[in-house]
Amino acid sequence: MASMVVMLQGVLNKKEYRHFIIDSLKDGEIDDFKSLYEVLGRRAKKIEKDCEESNSDMTHYIYEKLTKKKLQEYQTLYPDFF
C-alpha cells in the first residue's frame, strides 16, 4: 500500500491524504518510481475515461470536479493561473 500526502502552501492537509494498493509490486518489494508510475497512470486513465463518458475536454472536467470552495481557494493561491 502506498500513501499520498497533500500540502497547501507548505502545510500538510490531512483531509486530502489518499491510500493506494500497488498491484505492480511483489510482496515486500519497495519501488517508489514503479508505485508513482502505477498511481499516476491509473489517475490519468480514470480522468480520460470520465472525460470521454461526459463528452467534455480536460479543462471542463477539472472545473466540474472541483468544489466551489476548493476552486476559490486555488484561485486565491494561484491568481495568475486563473
Side-chain angles (χ1 to χ4, degrees):
M1 181 176 294
S3 299
M4 178 179 71
V5 298
V6 176
M7 298 181 80
L8 287 173
Q9 292 187 324
V11 178
L12 291 172
N13 185 348
K14 291 186 178 184
K15 291 180 184 178
E16 298 294 325
Y17 282 21
R18 298 290 180 262
H19 301 280
F20 302 91
I21 295 173
I22 306 301
D23 300 323
S24 61
L25 297 179
K26 298 174 187 167
D27 286 341
E29 182 181 7
I30 298 172
D31 187 332
D32 291 340
F33 292 107
K34 200 177 211 181
S35 299
L36 280 169
Y37 183 82
E38 182 178 327
V39 169
L40 294 175
R42 275 197 239 161
R43 302 287 286 189
K45 284 179 187 175
K46 183 185 182 323
I47 290 171
E48 189 176 314
K49 180 182 172 200
D50 289 348
C51 286
E52 288 174 3
E53 288 175 359
S54 66
N55 206 16
S56 64
D57 66 2
M58 187 71 68
T59 305
H60 182 261
Y61 174 83
I62 291 169
Y63 276 109
E64 192 176 88
K65 293 297 176 186
L66 287 174
T67 63
K68 189 173 185 178
K69 182 180 176 185
K70 279 191 178 183
L71 183 56
Q72 289 171 342
E73 184 179 320
Y74 291 141
Q75 286 173 330
T76 302
L77 292 172
Y78 311 105
D80 295 337
F81 183 75
F82 289 93

